[in-house]
Amino acid sequence: DVKVTQSSRYLVKRTGEKVFLECVQDMDHENMFWYRQDPGLGLRLIYFSYDVKMKEKGDIPEGYSVSREKKERFSLILESASTNQTSMYLCASSFLDEKLFFGSGTQLSVL
Amino acid sequence: GESVGLHLPTLSVQEGDNSIINCAYSNSASDYFIWYKQESGKGPQFIIDIRSNMDKRQGQRVTVLLNKTVKHLSLQIAATQPGDSAVYFCAALRRVNSGYSTLTFGKGTMLLVSP
């Protein structure tokens, strides 16, 4: 089975802190994604990557950056966390144009 | 762009009934659709997918129907069980400007199954 592992289940940070969310997949998938999920808004795509060192903006990239130095790892970075970035963050991976496999999510609270 | 919507935010059924969750999409060029199930505190789990060259696909207790004419798809769950209680999302594949593909998700329907 595909496994997508997010490093933290819950995270509490202060406004202005730099935050790193880590994601690792074990199926050699080319594609990796970061979504955020908010009540009433569903899943919204922040950034995605189709190859090592490659990144593409999603629908809501403002305030975020990403890093993909190795194929299995995709990091989401909040340069200066703000309260409106309090959310559930979901990482996913896929092979080409196939279904996404999701991690369990990281619930981030920014105080 | 693509928008994907679900018709009802909440669906309540009795255990043993069949459930039908509906979804509409806007981009007629979408050619791949997926249904996900998300239980409380977990990430979305893949249920079933369908490509646009098919009208129907069946899995274990689940069936997805695709109507490309009206840009509508539905998820049918047979003999619904309490363990089916979750939020269900439909998603449609779309091409972005760079030529790559991403999934656009609907906002979800919460399925509540009562014994």
Side-chain angles (χ1 to χ4, degrees):
Chain A
D1 279 353
V2 174
K3 194 163 185 185
V4 179
T5 303
Q6 294 184 232
S7 55
S8 304
R9 186 72 184 90
Y10 299 96
L11 215 50
V12 180
K13 296 292 181 179
R14 296 209 175 273
T15 302
E17 278 193 77
K18 189 168 186 175
V19 182
F20 292 87
L21 302 183
E22 307 286 348
C23 176
V24 177
Q25 51 96 2
D26 66 357
M27 280 302 291
D28 203 35
H29 284 165
E30 284 81 7
N31 309 332
M32 296 190 76
F33 306 82
W34 276 105
Y35 286 85
R36 64 177 281 178
Q37 184 175 27
D38 301 285
L41 297 176
L43 280 79
R44 293 180 292 166
L45 181 64
I46 305 171
Y47 266 98
F48 59 99
S49 170
Y50 284 90
D51 202 351
V52 175
K53 297 191 187 294
M54 179 271 182
K55 61 184 179 184
E56 291 276 345
K57 291 181 180 179
D59 299 313
I60 51 163
E62 296 78 20
Y64 303 94
S65 62
V66 290
S67 173
R68 190 149 180 220
E69 295 297 316
K70 293 184 178 181
K71 191 175 186 180
E72 67 271 18
R73 187 178 296 269
F74 192 35
S75 303
L76 180 69
I77 303 153
L78 287 66
E79 294 290 340
S80 177
S82 62
T83 54
N84 64 11
Q85 291 178 310
T86 291
S87 186
M88 170 69 82
Y89 289 88
L90 290 161
C91 175
S93 72
S94 74
F95 178 69
L96 298 177
D97 285 351
E98 296 290 331
K99 55 186 172 284
L100 271 62
F101 293 88
F102 284 88
S104 297
T106 295
Q107 179 63 53
L108 173 67
S109 296
V110 183
L111 307 178
Chain B
E2 176 76 75
S3 69
V4 180
L6 285 126
H7 293 288
L8 289 174
T10 304
L11 176 65
S12 296
V13 301
Q14 294 277 85
E15 183 178 359
D17 286 353
N18 296 333
S19 304
I20 300 176
I21 301 171
N22 295 304
C23 185
Y25 62 96
S26 62
N27 189 344
S28 56
S30 294
D31 58 4
Y32 180 50
F33 306 88
I34 309 175
W35 281 99
Y36 284 91
K37 171 186 180 183
Q38 187 176 24
E39 297 173 287
S40 180
K42 297 183 179 180
Q45 277 183 291
F46 168 84
I47 303 173
I48 192 167
D49 58 359
I50 188 168
R51 296 204 178 267
S52 58
N53 60 351
M54 301 174 70
D55 297 323
K56 179 179 179 179
R57 192 162 188 218
Q58 287 184 289
Q60 188 178 11
R61 284 200 306 117
V62 294
T63 301
V64 55
L65 299 177
L66 175 62
N67 185 329
K68 294 177 285 293
T69 303
V70 295
K71 291 184 282 189
H72 179 273
L73 67 157
S74 66
L75 176 70
Q76 300 178 3
I77 305 173
T80 313
Q81 302 168 359
D84 294 327
S85 292
V87 177
Y88 290 82
F89 295 94
C90 62
L93 194 72
R94 66 179 172 119
R95 304 281 170 192
V96 296
N97 290 340
S98 58
Y100 293 106
S101 300
T102 65
L103 285 179
T104 297
F105 286 81
K107 292 182 173 48
T109 291
M110 177 172 287
L111 177 65
L112 300 173
V113 183
S114 51

